[in-house]
Amino acid sequence: MADNNNPFSNLEAKFKSVENKPKTEKAPADFKKHYKTFIAIFLAFIVIVIAFANVYVVKEGDYKIIRQFGEVVDVKYKPGVYMKIPFVQSVTTIPKYQMNYKLSEKEINTKDKRRIIIDNYAVWRVVDPKQMIKSAGSLVGASSRMEEFIYSVVRSELGQLEYNDIINDENSSRGSLNDKITAEVNNHLLKDKYGIEVVDVRIKRIDLPEENEQSVYNEMISERQKIAQKFLSTGDADKRRIEAETDRKVKEMLATAKKEAAIIEAEGEAEAAKIYNLSFSKDPEFYSLYRTLESYKRTIGPDTMIIIPSASPYARILSGYLK
């Protein structure tokens, strides 16, 4: 209760009423201010997220295909950072580098009507990504078309060769088959504008159908036996030729040696006779005695019986009487 005699009682009552009044009048204004700030931050975050989501990087070994509503509108070749239009454009990556592709095994017929199974692989790359997308739609489509061309060319080329020419590496009729196949496939791809290039096509393996393996193995064994027999025959002929040539040379060498030996022997005998004559002419009596002794050596043996007169010079010499 207010005191009527106190002049400040009304003033105090007014202050108390102001202090006790709830402070809720500024709340709506503060809430609106914070709400607008939150919306601005949220929108900025959304913009940043969208911007980062539509930034793409072109690497050294990639092509970037930019599509808009399904149509190719641009191709990025140079490395760098780019941005696409959000929700309108999409980006597809295609490699620049060479790729390996293993072809499915195919059965073909050779010129001599033999069935063989060919296992190939190819090395290829994209040279015009825009043309490749336009013609094939994707890497899978391009590789499928490439495989069809390779199979067609391989079947055509091997169909012109005999079976033995294909499996026999020593036979030159096979030639540079891989290079011919590669060139022919590239001609087809370039003609149809697929935007891809085959770097190399290789025949990795040539197999036979199971039902033909045994007969082919027997034929290969027979062929190898013929080759071995040919080598053996050639070796025997070479052996006989070398032996005959050696015998001829030996006979010639022996004849030459005998001839030279006879000449040397004749010259030696002539020289010996000359020395004998010169020596014996100096003492005829000694020469007569030497000749007599030589005749004894040729005449008398271990079982020789000689009957001669005791007065003969021959008997006298044998008896030790030289005069």
Side-chain angles (χ1 to χ4, degrees):
M1 180 178 294
D3 188 359
N4 295 327
N5 296 323
N6 187 358
F8 297 101
S9 59
N10 292 333
L11 184 60
E12 291 178 356
K14 289 181 179 180
F15 277 113
K16 288 181 179 180
S17 63
V18 171
E19 290 178 355
N20 295 329
K21 188 176 180 179
K23 298 179 180 180
T24 59
E25 294 179 357
K26 294 183 179 180
D30 292 340
F31 176 76
K32 290 180 179 180
K33 181 179 179 181
H34 292 304
Y35 179 76
K36 291 180 179 179
T37 303
F38 174 76
I39 292 298
I41 294 174
F42 179 75
L43 291 177
F45 176 75
I46 294 298
V47 170
I48 293 173
V49 169
I50 293 175
F52 274 103
N54 289 277
V55 170
Y56 61 94
V57 178
V58 179
K59 298 181 180 179
E60 186 69 29
D62 293 337
Y63 299 113
K64 292 293 184 179
I65 309 298
I66 294 85
R67 299 171 185 263
Q68 186 169 317
F69 302 113
E71 297 293 331
V72 177
V73 295
D74 194 8
V75 178
K76 299 297 184 184
Y77 298 90
K78 295 183 179 180
V81 180
Y82 302 88
M83 179 176 287
K84 65 182 180 68
I85 301 175
F87 310 111
V88 176
Q89 294 180 340
S90 61
V91 179
T92 305
T93 302
I94 294 179
K96 286 183 181 179
Y97 50 79
Q98 295 179 359
M99 297 170 284
N100 292 328
Y101 184 80
K102 184 182 182 303
L103 282 75
S104 304
E105 294 183 356
K106 300 290 185 180
E107 184 176 305
I108 66 172
N109 293 324
T110 62
K111 185 177 180 180
D112 53 349
K113 307 304 179 184
R114 296 286 188 88
R115 290 189 301 148
I116 58 176
I117 299 174
I118 299 296
D119 186 7
N120 292 350
Y121 75 90
V123 180
W124 67 296
R125 64 185 177 185
V126 178
V127 293
D128 189 342
K130 193 171 184 178
Q131 190 65 45
M132 188 271 291
I133 294 295
K134 181 179 178 181
S135 301
S138 64
L139 284 176
V140 175
S143 60
S144 298
R145 294 298 297 150
M146 179 186 66
E147 181 173 3
E148 293 176 6
F149 285 135
I150 291 175
Y151 172 64
S152 176
V153 173
V154 168
R155 181 178 59 184
S156 174
E157 292 293 334
L158 295 186
Q160 302 175 22
L161 298 177
E162 301 283 343
Y163 173 77
N164 290 333
D165 295 340
I166 296 173
I167 65 171
N168 189 358
D169 292 336
E170 298 176 358
N171 196 319
S172 60
S173 64
R174 178 171 173 177
S176 56
L177 182 60
N178 295 321
D179 296 336
K180 292 171 62 178
I181 293 173
T182 301
E184 189 66 24
V185 171
N186 279 325
N187 288 337
H188 288 296
L189 293 172
L190 183 61
K191 179 181 178 181
D192 293 347
K193 299 180 179 180
Y194 276 96
I196 62 175
E197 178 188 22
V198 176
V199 179
D200 195 12
V201 177
R202 292 287 165 179
I203 298 177
K204 184 170 65 175
R205 191 174 72 251
I206 299 177
D207 290 334
L208 297 165
E210 294 183 0
E211 60 270 20
N212 294 348
E213 285 186 356
Q214 190 58 47
S215 61
V216 172
Y217 289 158
N218 293 336
E219 184 176 345
M220 291 174 65
I221 292 172
S222 176
E223 184 68 22
R224 293 300 183 270
Q225 288 176 345
K226 290 180 181 178
I227 295 174
Q229 186 61 44
K230 180 180 178 181
F231 286 150
L232 290 173
S233 300
T234 303
D236 289 340
D238 291 341
K239 175 187 175 182
R240 289 191 293 270
R241 179 180 58 79
I242 293 172
E243 288 179 347
E245 185 69 17
T246 303
D247 291 341
R248 182 184 64 80
K249 289 182 178 180
V250 169
K251 290 179 179 179
E252 290 179 356
M253 293 172 65
L254 289 175
T256 302
K258 289 180 180 179
K259 179 180 178 181
E260 292 177 354
I263 293 173
I264 294 172
E265 185 177 357
E267 291 177 352
E269 289 179 354
E271 186 67 23
K274 181 179 178 181
I275 294 172
Y276 286 152
N277 291 333
L278 182 61
S279 300
F280 294 150
S281 63
K282 294 180 179 181
D283 191 348
E285 293 183 1
F286 175 76
Y287 176 70
S288 177
L289 175 62
Y290 176 78
R291 296 286 294 172
T292 302
L293 293 176
E294 285 294 321
S295 67
Y296 294 164
K297 288 170 62 176
R298 290 191 295 269
T299 303
I300 301 173
D303 300 326
T304 302
M305 180 179 294
I306 302 175
I307 300 174
I308 56 177
S310 58
S312 67
Y314 203 31
R316 287 165 47 195
I317 292 174
L318 289 175
S319 300
Y321 298 101
L322 297 178
K323 296 183 180 181

